[in-house]
Amino acid sequence: MGAVGERLRRKNDPRLLVGHGRYVDDITVPHVVHASFVRSPLAHAEILGIDTEDARRARGVVAVFAGDEVANAMPLLPTAAADESPPRRPLTGDRVRYVGEAVAMVLAETAAQAEHAAALVAVDYEPLPVVLGPWKALAGDAPLVHPERGTNKIGEIHKVIGDPDGAFAAADHVVKRRHAVQRISASPLEPRGTLAVPEPATGELTVWMACQSPHTIRTWLSDILSIDESKLRVIAPDVGGGFGSKLNLYSDELAVMWGALQLGRPVKWTETRTENFTAAVHARDQIHHVEMALRADGKILGLRSHFVGDLGAYFHFFTPVVPDLTIDTLTGNYDIPSVDIKLEKVFTNTMSIEALRGSGRAEATFVLERMIEESAREIGMDPLEMRLLNLVSPEQLPYETPFELTYDSGDYPAMLSRAAELIGYEAIKGSQRNLREKGIYRGVGVATYNLLCGFSPSGHDWNPMKFFPGHETALIRVDPHGKTVVYSGLSPHGQGSDTVVAQLVADELQIPFDDIAVKHGDTETIPYGGGTHGSRGAVVGGHAALIAAQRVVAKAKDVAGAMLEASSEDVVYEGGSFRVAGSREPALAWQEVAEEAHFLKHSGPMFEPGLEATAFYDPPSVNFAFGATAAHVEVDVETGVVSIIEFVSVDDCGVALNPGIVDGQLHGGIAQGVGQALYEQVSHDEDGQVVSASFGSYLLPSAVEMPKLTMERFVTPSATPLGVRGVGESGTLATPAAIVNAVVDALEPFGVRVEQTPLRPNVLWELIHPEPTE
Amino acid sequence: MTDITVTVNGVSRAVSCSPSTLLVHLLREELQLTGTHVGCDTSHCGACTVVMDGRAVKSCTVLAPQAHGRSVTTVEGLAEDGRLDPLQEAFADHFALQCGFCTSGFLMAAKAFLDTNPSPDEEQVRKAISGNLCRCTGYQHIVDAMLAVAEGTT
Amino acid sequence: MRPPDFEYELAEDVQGAVSALAQGESVMAIAGGQSLIPLLRLRIARPSRVVDIGRVPGLTGISVSDESTELGALVTTADVAASDDISRSNPLWTEAARVIADPLVRNLGTVGGNLAHADPLNDLPAALVASRGEVLAEGPNGVRTIASDDLFVSPFTTSLEPGELITRLIVPGSPSGAYEKLKRAAADYGVVAVAVQLDIGDGGDIRSAGVSLSGTSAVAPRSNRAEQTLVGTNGGDDVIEGAALAAAEDADLAADERGSIRYKRAVVGALAARALRRAIARGNG
């Protein structure tokens, strides 16, 4: 029996379950000093002066770094699209541009001392006019985030494909709506953390960091710190979730490393949750003005969107390309021949927008699925029926989208029909009238998704970074006992990629799953890899491991051939043993071959000793995973509270290497989608203060907000050797639209027009009970 | 500084610390029990949950002197003699953890709850863990694991 | 985030606590700590000295009769939430206790602390006012009884004198009680809540009524007009609607990110009607 496809326990669980995980904050080294940051309480201000005297005199303080001179001695941070990006250093000495920007770094003997001393730093600010809100930022008289640029506008992309003007001219109906996708926070349960350990004698620097891509960090550090990569070691130990927010090299993290080099002492910093809400990247934050052209029968002829992306004050690694991804996925699973999409991107006095689970594509899916819902309602058509009419059908596959993405296989209409069936679409619709008479407002909503994933072939358009690999790696090393270690370039932090890699390698090597260990997240031992993000673990990292395993088997056949005095081409390996094809000679076990490969006791020097292989795999294309979701909700019209009665997700991620892990990935994505639909929001007040800087106001869904999830899987193997598709981001895509569509359905008698999320109770109540107009 | 004696995982531990020290930092930094985590500043996330005198509490919201003379069980004390607690087994079987950062807190909240409510329904289970946040699992597998322990099917 | 340093004193008994707390304005009491410790971590509270009253003997115990429930100030909100006796005789208190924060916070948070903190979003102040309870306070000048209407002065301020601490709560019992709270999610502190406790005669007539709110600008204001609307009636639908409307109209509310004044007022009305219906059904059941 193979390991692939089995619900095998995860490799990491034995440690994590007994509290033996090692996250950055759990790690300590001798002579370490602790960092604490002083951050801007204002969204936009000039720094007139910084008084660090009290902090310097505080108990345990080793150093305080602040001010223009210090900041200018620090290296520039790496950012996306460096030529467009305002240059930025780890501390700002002259001006702050968002709440949470680091102004000073205090180093002390204990974390408590550092924190207490940081509170003693006094910064004199001259407030400047604040620019918030993307459309306001584009106005001619808007205050400028970066005056030297002369404008807050970052750029404009306008894609016109097919014949949108003709489509709109020929349309029987044109539906226009506004859709805003709010700003959200990744909120991994582990805040960020960095421990930098210099070795002054050799110039070496070792960095433990809660990150998703240690090799990328190492290469950037080499560039900006002028240290050879051979002297840099970046380790991602256990990492408590990232969801895209730990892909970056942040200003505070670099400040910690720089401080360690200045002092010649280890420096450790653990982010607080309060900091995480302001100083770790945000996501989404787009406003679309959409028009949909429809034929009388509901066929979609064309789609226009003029949208704006609020990117915040600075670029991080992927900031400017996140909304670009929205453009390229805005037609989703639907056959929409003509599109006219215009995107404007702007700077505002807020934290940067960045990649977050489903980035760009979640916004696109939401806008499209909300637009179809609104269109169907406006022309008096059942929204499910309109979707089925417009979905790309299996007969149309392979299908090239207007944006030149090729969908290879799958059955989107069947999945949507199945989701509708599982939720009881018709029964819910049929019971609505009676329930409404009793004051009970229930509704059903559906949405589909097609996740562009498996990032991705090197050099593709969505990679704006000089140093960010598209490939993935694996080194498989078999020891003389036949036990095997996979050194994977992935950097999983909860996804379970290590476990699924072990499963597929176990099958390829025909050895027990338990005989395989998977190591990752350490640039000292791992071949150069891309890390974990963009639903790429199985799709990219899995194939690197598969190819490496195939190479190991080929090598093992060479060894077995030598032992069996046969040509390696004549050696067959099956059932975990090697024999000569057609021969009745006794077979060789894996372990015998592994031992011989190292000690050459029986076969002489007929092969290069050792049993290991490395593979670097650059995927030939991106990958797609797809599905349909359905939500059944009830709205308390007196309070605006939405309860999810049931949620159905029908997903196709191709071959599920470990169904338990796949389900968990989907569940987590769905929960983030529920949060986006109903609860989560990074809120700023009119001065740019983040008023949602705690879990008490940001509102992650808890176990009582989440419904029981009904899952069903379709399996359409992808064209890749493993047949896998991505899955990590899938749940985030269609979930918000399905829920909002269900809310709109429940409130049909009120005719509410939902233009923004989250549908917190007060927001929804105001829609149900609009203020009487004069 | 104040002198504190607290029984942690069955062993009496004497520590001298500032009275402003939080129990979670006493556990993590003085006793090197780093399985208990800090995930927020406002007593919301529950990553720091331990069992104190039989009740699940947030160790970030207990001053070290408040724990003086009390008995605290952390995630490191859940397994006995190397044998995992049925909850730990169930968490593994049901994929109830992903990144693992919140896991200790969920385990301890679940342990104290199931010790006093051995046959809960799903709604009670969800309420029992409503003081713990998880960003990875959507809670489904955690609820599954707890119900499996309650039903003795793990 | 970590609390700044402070001096710590463990109170051995009530007298010790009283004299320790009377030492100055920057001395703060800690019982369960579930409100104070987050404030210490965020540096919102900066006491020079913290007096731990959590181990003072004699401040625990739940004693329930048909007439009243007596709670030691150090009884945890979890204990109130779990008590079958309280559920029978004071369902308002059971319901209020069960929506405080989360189950883990309730395991340490105390009833005395929940009142003394006087947070307008706390739940037990409204329960105390609605049930017309009183607290025993002990201070430098001895023991006194403070009626619920006299306890809460303004947000985070009570009528407790320096050195005075709540030792005991005495809450008149009634099966006709209910608590309704709107939280946006489990981690939310709450938007608004309504506490209701009625005394209903054998004929279904409402002999006395208590209605109070959480989440308003004041701490646990009594809705006098709502109470007057109820008393002397048998609590029919019109009465309930009228009382709920009165509670909503009289509520002093502020707009914030939880909602507009208009929204909060509507929710107060809706929750008041629900709480009243449940309380009346209980009284007549």
Side-chain angles (χ1 to χ4, degrees):
Chain A
M1 191 177 66
V4 164
E6 295 300 312
R7 291 175 59 95
L8 298 179
R9 283 186 176 194
R10 295 168 4 124
K11 289 277 181 192
N12 261 335
D13 288 357
R15 289 187 305 108
L16 299 177
L17 283 167
V18 298
H20 291 179
R22 288 290 174 269
Y23 303 87
V24 173
D25 193 48
D26 303 337
I27 298 164
T28 193
V29 294
H31 315 301
V32 68
V33 297
H34 297 261
S36 182
F37 288 91
V38 178
R39 296 183 182 279
S40 171
L42 299 176
H44 199 190
E46 218 174 308
I47 297 172
L48 301 180
I50 305 177
D51 183 351
T52 59
E53 277 314 302
D54 287 353
R56 285 180 203 280
R57 279 200 297 265
R59 186 155 51 98
V61 169
V62 175
V64 180
F65 295 105
D68 236 356
E69 206 173 310
V70 171
N72 286 329
M74 295 174 134
L76 285 171
L77 276 161
T79 69
D83 48 340
E84 293 174 47
S85 172
R88 187 179 180 197
R89 298 181 195 276
L91 297 177
T92 182
D94 55 348
R95 182 181 282 236
V96 292
R97 293 183 173 85
Y98 63 94
V99 169
E101 189 165 6
V103 173
M105 177 171 69
V106 176
L107 302 179
E109 298 292 347
T110 72
Q113 288 166 347
E115 195 181 320
H116 301 333
L120 301 175
V121 174
V123 185
D124 187 9
Y125 295 102
E126 176 69 33
L128 294 169
V130 173
V131 58
L132 300 169
W135 295 113
K136 284 183 191 160
L138 289 171
D141 59 348
L144 296 176
V145 178
H146 300 283
E148 69 282 6
R149 298 183 76 260
T151 174
N152 291 320
K153 187 164 170 173
I154 296 163
E156 182 176 311
I157 299 176
H158 195 174
K159 288 194 180 178
V160 180
I161 299 163
D163 178 17
D165 289 346
F168 277 84
D172 297 303
H173 306 279
V174 173
V175 177
K176 300 180 181 183
R177 289 290 187 276
R178 174 185 182 272
H179 296 288
V181 182
Q182 82 273 27
R183 184 176 279 236
I184 58 176
S185 155
S187 296
L189 259 290
E190 180 208 24
R192 295 178 296 134
T194 302
L195 168 59
V197 183
E199 175 43 71
T202 59
E204 291 170 308
L205 177 69
T206 300
V207 178
W208 280 266
M209 186 174 163
C211 73
Q212 299 178 223
S213 181
H215 277 101
T216 309
I217 300 295
R218 189 187 73 185
T219 302
W220 277 113
L221 288 179
S222 175
D223 230 36
I224 60 191
L225 296 174
S226 302
I227 301 174
D228 292 349
E229 288 195 60
S230 60
K231 292 183 174 179
L232 280 166
R233 179 180 184 185
V234 179
I235 302 169
D238 288 317
V239 175
F243 313 108
S245 72
K246 292 174 182 170
L247 270 172
N248 285 279
L249 176 58
Y250 283 85
S251 58
D252 33 33
E253 294 164 341
L254 183 56
V256 166
M257 299 168 201
W258 181 87
L261 292 169
Q262 297 300 304
L263 256 59
R265 278 181 74 174
V267 178
K268 177 169 159 179
W269 169 65
T270 301
E271 187 182 42
T272 69
R273 178 59 54 190
T274 310
E275 287 180 295
N276 185 267
F277 273 116
T278 57
V281 289
H282 297 158
R284 312 290 193 253
D285 210 348
Q286 295 179 3
I287 302 173
H288 291 245
H289 291 273
V290 196
E291 297 179 32
M292 193 164 256
L294 300 132
R295 213 163 57 194
D297 64 355
K299 176 74 184 90
I300 303 168
L301 302 176
L303 178 71
R304 284 183 180 140
S305 177
H306 178 188
F307 76 107
V308 60
D310 179 346
L311 301 190
Y314 290 103
F315 285 2
H316 279 72
F317 277 16
F318 296 98
T319 304
V321 294
V322 170
D324 299 0
L325 265 173
T326 303
I327 298 179
D328 291 347
T329 54
L330 202 47
T331 55
N333 274 334
Y334 297 90
D335 181 22
I336 302 175
S338 295
V339 294
D340 176 345
I341 317 289
K342 184 173 149 189
L343 161 65
E344 293 176 86
K345 298 183 262 196
V346 299
F347 285 117
T348 62
N349 288 121
T350 60
M351 183 57 195
S352 309
I353 287 304
E354 247 290 340
L356 193 173
R357 203 174 195 173
S359 54
R361 297 143 295 161
E363 296 93 313
T365 307
F366 181 77
V367 168
L368 175 65
E369 286 289 352
R370 284 288 301 121
M371 201 59 207
I372 293 175
E373 186 78 13
E374 292 292 312
S375 296
R377 290 178 179 278
E378 185 157 320
I379 71 168
M381 188 172 180
D382 180 81
L384 176 61
E385 196 186 323
M386 182 184 276
R387 287 185 172 82
L388 291 170
L389 175 72
N390 286 287
L391 281 171
V392 172
S393 69
E395 295 73 38
Q396 288 174 279
L397 297 172
Y399 172 89
E400 186 172 87
T401 74
F403 306 100
E404 296 173 5
L405 302 170
T406 303
Y407 297 167
D408 57 341
S409 53
D411 191 338
Y412 316 145
M415 297 182 80
L416 176 59
S417 297
R418 182 61 181 149
E421 185 183 359
L422 285 169
I423 201 88
Y425 188 88
E426 296 300 331
I428 295 168
K429 290 280 189 188
S431 63
Q432 276 177 320
R433 182 185 297 259
N434 281 340
L435 288 169
R436 282 172 189 164
E437 281 171 12
K438 296 176 198 160
I440 297 169
Y441 291 84
R442 290 188 179 170
V444 61
V446 296
T448 75
Y449 69 88
N450 201 326
L451 174 75
L452 165 64
C453 61
F455 287 93
S456 59
S458 293
H460 69 63
D461 290 347
W462 304 296
N463 186 345
M465 292 297 286
K466 182 179 171 193
F467 303 137
F468 205 92
H471 75 263
E472 202 40 271
T473 60
L475 157 60
I476 297 181
R477 184 172 284 159
V478 184
D479 70 32
H481 290 93
K483 305 294 165 83
T484 298
V485 180
V486 184
Y487 299 87
S488 171
L490 295 169
S491 196
H493 38 285
Q495 292 83 355
S497 317
D498 45 343
T499 302
V500 298
V501 161
Q503 287 178 267
L504 70 91
V505 170
D507 284 5
E508 202 60 33
L509 300 185
Q510 302 176 37
I511 63 174
F513 172 74
D514 289 341
D515 286 356
I516 298 173
V518 179
K519 313 271 184 190
H520 55 81
D522 183 347
T523 59
E524 190 97 319
T525 52
I526 310 293
Y528 203 100
T532 293
H533 54 91
S535 303
R536 73 195 299 274
V539 177
V540 190
H543 283 104
L546 178 73
I547 293 164
Q550 288 165 342
R551 289 177 183 166
V552 167
V553 169
K555 174 68 186 291
K557 282 183 182 175
D558 290 346
V559 179
M563 294 171 77
L564 296 167
E565 296 174 352
S567 159
S568 56
E569 289 91 70
D570 295 333
V571 173
V572 291
Y573 180 48
E574 58 187 20
S577 61
F578 298 84
R579 65 175 68 241
V580 178
S583 156
R584 291 187 189 143
E585 290 293 310
L588 295 171
W590 172 259
Q591 189 272 323
E592 291 175 83
V593 171
E595 186 176 313
E596 181 63 12
H598 290 85
F599 305 121
L600 290 80
K601 296 288 190 196
H602 308 292
S603 50
M606 297 170 68
F607 53 84
E608 185 183 347
L611 188 51
E612 65 177 67
T614 300
F616 286 76
Y617 174 75
D618 210 332
S621 68
V622 290
N623 198 297
F624 294 93
F626 34 84
T629 58
H632 182 197
V633 306
E634 180 170 326
V635 182
D636 180 340
V637 299
E638 291 188 323
T639 61
V641 171
V642 177
S643 313
I644 304 172
I645 299 166
E646 194 184 356
F647 192 89
V648 168
S649 191
V650 179
D651 303 279
D652 194 333
C653 67
V655 174
L657 300 175
N658 183 324
I661 286 174
V662 164
D663 283 344
Q665 287 296 300
L666 290 165
H667 292 164
I670 291 167
Q672 293 196 4
V674 167
Q676 186 180 319
L678 298 178
Y679 303 106
E680 298 176 30
Q681 180 162 30
V682 174
S683 310
H684 295 94
D685 69 9
E686 58 195 12
D687 298 325
Q689 290 296 329
V690 179
V691 295
S692 55
S694 85
F695 285 135
S697 47
Y698 179 74
L699 304 183
L700 292 188
S702 81
V704 294
E705 281 78 50
M706 283 301 295
K708 186 172 172 64
L709 304 172
T710 303
M711 314 294 292
E712 194 166 292
R713 199 162 10 256
F714 278 45
V715 180
T716 309
S718 69
T720 66
L722 287 167
V724 293
R725 302 174 183 278
V727 71
E729 299 165 287
S730 293
T732 59
L733 263 60
T735 303
I739 292 169
V740 174
N741 290 341
V743 169
V744 168
D745 185 51
L747 297 177
E748 192 180 23
F750 297 90
V752 302
R753 180 166 291 188
V754 172
E755 295 187 333
Q756 65 180 61
T757 46
L759 293 177
R760 287 179 170 176
N762 61 313
V763 171
L764 195 52
W765 185 90
E766 300 281 357
L767 295 176
I768 300 169
H769 307 275
E771 198 142 15
T773 46
E774 291 302 315
Chain B
M1 300 297 269
T2 185
D3 292 327
I4 288 158
T5 303
V6 55
T7 301
V8 178
N9 300 328
V11 179
S12 178
R13 308 292 296 263
V15 177
S16 183
C17 65
S18 161
S20 65
T21 305
L22 301 173
L23 175 58
V24 67
H25 291 132
L26 183 147
L27 293 169
R28 290 179 54 76
E29 293 167 8
E30 304 294 331
L31 303 180
Q32 285 77 49
L33 294 168
T34 54
T36 304
H37 300 142
V38 181
C40 75
D41 305 319
T42 51
S43 310
H44 283 108
C45 80
C48 63
T49 305
V50 299
V51 175
M52 185 161 79
D53 289 350
R55 291 184 169 201
V57 303
K58 292 179 171 173
S59 65
C60 77
T61 319
V62 176
L63 298 179
Q66 291 181 294
H68 175 71
R70 305 199 191 277
S71 175
V72 171
T73 306
T74 69
V75 68
E76 290 92 344
L78 199 50
E80 282 185 39
D81 304 328
R83 281 171 57 95
L84 292 184
D85 186 274
L87 258 174
Q88 291 166 311
E89 298 279 0
F91 267 52
D93 281 341
H94 290 269
F95 298 88
L97 64 159
Q98 290 183 28
C99 83
F101 195 79
C102 71
T103 305
S104 339
F106 274 93
L107 283 168
M108 302 318 288
K111 174 71 176 166
F113 170 71
L114 291 173
D115 279 352
T116 45
N117 302 272
S119 310
D121 61 22
E122 181 177 333
E123 190 188 341
Q124 290 169 320
V125 163
R126 286 182 182 271
K127 280 187 178 169
I129 54 172
S130 63
N132 298 78
L133 293 172
C134 170
R135 192 54 153 167
C136 295
T137 65
Y139 307 99
Q140 182 72 51
H141 282 155
I142 296 173
V143 172
D144 291 348
M146 288 174 67
L147 287 171
V149 170
E151 289 156 11
T153 55
T154 199
Chain C
M1 298 173 81
R2 300 162 190 252
D5 285 341
F6 47 74
E7 292 172 20
Y8 171 87
E9 182 172 346
L10 179 68
E12 304 281 349
D13 52 28
V14 174
Q15 279 313 315
V18 166
S19 51
L21 287 170
Q23 284 166 359
E25 284 199 356
S26 67
V27 180
M28 297 185 79
I30 190 168
Q34 303 303 287
S35 296
L36 180 60
I37 293 172
L39 297 178
L40 294 172
R41 294 180 72 189
L42 296 171
R43 296 171 184 265
I44 294 169
R46 294 295 302 270
S48 62
R49 172 176 288 230
V50 167
V51 177
D52 186 350
I53 60 172
R55 297 173 200 245
V56 170
L59 301 190
T60 57
I62 298 176
S63 144
V64 181
S65 70
D66 284 349
E67 289 72 40
S68 69
T69 293
E70 286 196 36
L71 302 170
L74 293 179
V75 168
T76 65
T77 52
D79 284 339
V80 174
S83 164
D84 290 336
D85 289 341
I86 294 176
S87 172
R88 274 189 295 275
S89 68
N90 284 71
L92 161 62
W93 278 72
T94 302
E95 290 187 3
R98 283 182 180 169
V99 295
I100 294 170
D102 65 54
L104 311 182
V105 169
R106 293 198 290 272
N107 277 335
L108 289 176
T110 66
V111 294
N114 195 286
L115 296 175
H117 187 49
D119 185 331
L121 271 169
N122 272 2
D123 300 288
L124 297 186
L128 188 78
V129 170
S131 55
R132 289 192 159 72
E134 53 193 28
V135 298
L136 294 187
E138 193 161 341
N141 300 321
V143 180
R144 64 170 175 145
T145 300
I146 306 175
S148 59
D149 284 328
D150 302 327
L151 182 59
F152 306 106
V153 175
S154 61
F156 307 100
T157 306
T158 65
S159 58
L160 291 168
E161 300 287 339
E164 231 177 7
L165 70 152
I166 296 172
T167 57
R168 203 147 192 83
L169 287 61
I170 302 158
V171 181
S174 168
S176 310
Y179 194 75
E180 282 280 348
K181 180 177 189 176
L182 178 69
K183 283 173 90 168
R184 300 171 298 167
D188 190 16
Y189 295 101
V191 180
V192 291
V194 180
V196 167
Q197 186 161 311
L198 310 172
D199 176 15
I200 298 182
D202 294 338
D205 56 311
I206 298 174
R207 295 189 295 215
S208 72
V211 179
S212 181
L213 309 179
S214 164
T216 68
S217 299
V219 186
R222 178 180 299 288
S223 292
N224 286 309
R225 216 153 53 85
E227 293 177 357
Q228 287 155 15
T229 307
L230 292 159
V231 172
T233 74
N234 62 357
D237 281 348
D238 287 355
V239 172
I240 290 173
E241 293 302 326
L245 186 65
E249 284 175 352
D250 292 353
D252 183 8
L253 298 160
D256 55 24
E257 68 146 3
R258 296 176 171 91
S260 63
I261 291 175
R262 201 171 72 91
Y263 170 66
K264 290 184 179 180
R265 203 176 297 293
V267 175
V268 168
L271 299 186
R274 291 174 193 186
L276 284 168
R277 280 197 197 95
R278 210 163 56 243
I280 290 168
R282 281 183 177 142
N284 294 328

